[in-house]
Amino acid sequence: MAAIEVEGLTKDYGEVLANDDVTFSVAEGEVFGYLGPNGAGKTTTIRTLMGFQSPTDGGATVLGHDVTDEADLIAAKRRIGYLPANPAFDEDVTGREILDLHGEIKGEQRREELLETFDPPVDRNVRDYSTGNVQKLGLVQAFMHDPDLVIMDEPTSGLDPLMQRAFNEFVDVEKERGLTVFLSSHVLSEVRRVCDRVGILRGGRLATTERVEDLLHRTGKFVRVRVAGDVGATAFDLDGVHDVSCSTTAERSASGADSGDSTVDAPADADPASDPSAGDVPLDGDRSPVDGPVTECTFTFTGDVNALLDRLGELTLIDLDVEEAPLEEVFMRFYGGPDA
């Protein structure tokens, strides 16, 4: 049995069609990422799964329970942890009092363990919490009753990098224990780190569901390269190269965006005769400075890296920077541009 089954889920608010015939499933023990830009409809799906609102059409089950049947869903909620976007708690009580209340309602078998992991300041009033501390308290309450399924809306929002890493490591361990996790996110690095499979939502419709490995292959890498000479975009006419943009030194200078000269000058008091490092320092890997124009090209690459390296070897390379393409590139390249 799947932990979550969504079939033809539609939510129409009149002026906004937030979910439009959405269908997917989440297997038991899977970490499933629900991706999309702000306004894509992610939170609407989550609120429907939790029974906070009824669908206009279609339906869903959570741990085998119908989300439109209030009595049936109550039984499921005893086994579900939930973290909303921007969790809010009574500001006039302490974090410890908040957890005491949640513990009385649903249990607190793992409370102390989670407090050690996420470390919210439980003896301070919530009104004195930072955004990150509110998020940490929310994570503790979501997991403290040892649920079978946890549903989270942007779980690392407001967390510092160290706590984000702690959260990712925690989810890895929980997955090994058999926990099912459904989380929405727009952070590709988070998805890459913890998710097995993803669904991508755009404008209320599910564009695709696929394994993270396949998504990353389609996303590719963002490449910025500087080469000697006046080189056009056709120099990178390779399979897997997308959205090439090239400009020369003169063009960047005219626009005020010049990234630097093609050589680096030695200090004014250096003596080239006695100091072999003095004078112009070449940036192209040989013993002569780069003369003439320098071209900077940027593009996204999803092809064979060996083919790219072969092509770069045909040019006089000055500088190369390769980084993971942002998630926004997926929407722009594969799904027709940003949401309205």
Side-chain angles (χ1 to χ4, degrees):
M1 181 185 72
I4 297 175
E5 288 273 9
V6 177
E7 182 67 37
L9 186 66
T10 299
K11 184 62 178 179
D12 190 348
Y13 291 108
E15 295 182 356
V16 177
L17 185 59
N19 283 165
D20 184 6
D21 195 26
V22 174
T23 299
F24 65 89
S25 64
V26 179
E28 290 184 349
E30 182 177 27
V31 179
F32 186 90
Y34 201 46
L35 312 183
N38 292 335
K42 304 187 300 295
T43 297
T44 295
T45 303
I46 288 176
R47 288 181 57 81
T48 305
L49 291 177
M50 292 300 299
F52 299 148
Q53 60 188 22
S54 298
T56 304
D57 199 5
T61 60
V62 179
L63 299 178
H65 298 265
D66 187 347
V67 300
T68 63
D69 185 329
E70 184 177 356
D72 193 29
L73 191 59
I74 288 175
K77 285 185 176 180
R78 297 190 179 98
R79 301 163 53 200
I80 297 174
Y82 172 58
L83 179 68
N86 306 311
F89 302 103
D90 185 344
E91 294 188 345
D92 294 325
V93 300
T94 66
R96 189 177 302 279
E97 290 172 304
I98 294 291
L99 296 180
D100 288 344
L101 175 62
H102 281 267
E104 291 176 3
I105 295 172
K106 61 188 181 184
E108 54 181 354
Q109 300 93 309
R110 302 185 63 186
R111 172 172 168 169
E112 295 306 317
E113 168 198 347
L114 291 160
L115 286 175
E116 290 184 8
T117 299
F118 297 112
D119 195 28
V122 292
D123 292 317
R124 288 163 47 190
N125 281 355
V126 173
R127 71 168 61 256
D128 298 324
Y129 277 24
S130 65
T131 301
N133 281 331
V134 171
Q135 195 76 5
K136 290 190 287 185
L137 185 67
L139 286 168
V140 173
Q141 68 79 27
F143 287 91
M144 63 188 287
H145 58 299
D146 199 20
D148 297 320
L149 165 67
V150 177
I151 297 175
M152 297 180 283
D153 199 348
E154 303 287 353
T156 61
S157 176
L159 298 182
D160 63 50
L162 290 178
M163 190 52 61
Q164 289 178 19
R165 178 180 296 180
F167 169 80
N168 293 339
E169 292 173 351
F170 175 77
V171 171
D172 279 344
V173 172
E174 293 305 296
K175 182 171 67 174
E176 291 298 318
R177 297 178 65 244
L179 178 70
T180 305
V181 177
F182 179 91
L183 63 89
S184 79
S185 180
H186 63 271
V187 182
L188 183 58
S189 59
E190 175 178 276
V191 171
R192 179 178 186 176
R193 178 70 175 79
V194 303
C195 293
D196 301 306
R197 198 163 54 94
V198 298
I200 297 179
L201 200 66
R202 181 181 185 276
R205 296 188 65 87
L206 194 65
T208 187
T209 58
E210 57 186 294
R211 296 184 310 154
V212 170
E213 292 84 354
D214 297 333
L215 173 68
L216 292 173
H217 175 72
R218 295 179 72 187
T219 307
K221 300 293 183 181
F222 182 75
V223 179
R224 179 181 290 105
V225 59
R226 296 177 68 223
V227 297
D230 189 352
V231 175
T234 55
F236 299 98
D237 187 12
L238 298 170
D239 289 340
V241 171
H242 310 271
D243 307 322
V244 183
S245 175
C246 294
S247 61
T248 64
T249 308
E251 291 169 337
R252 292 193 302 278
S253 295
S255 66
D258 190 10
S259 60
D261 295 331
S262 59
T263 61
V264 177
D265 293 333
D269 58 352
D271 181 3
S274 60
D275 184 355
S277 67
D280 288 337
V281 179
L283 300 180
D284 61 349
D286 62 21
R287 290 298 178 181
S288 61
V290 176
D291 294 320
V294 171
T295 301
E296 179 176 300
C297 295
T298 60
F299 52 87
T300 304
F301 186 65
T302 59
D304 181 355
V305 68
N306 293 303
L308 177 61
L309 292 175
D310 288 343
R311 180 59 54 86
L312 291 173
E314 300 171 2
L315 305 170
T316 304
L317 183 64
I318 297 173
D319 189 31
L320 174 66
D321 184 37
V322 181
E323 60 187 29
E324 186 175 272
L327 183 59
E328 288 77 7
E329 292 289 329
V330 178
F331 302 115
M332 292 296 291
R333 193 178 324 117
F334 299 107
Y335 306 113
D339 286 301

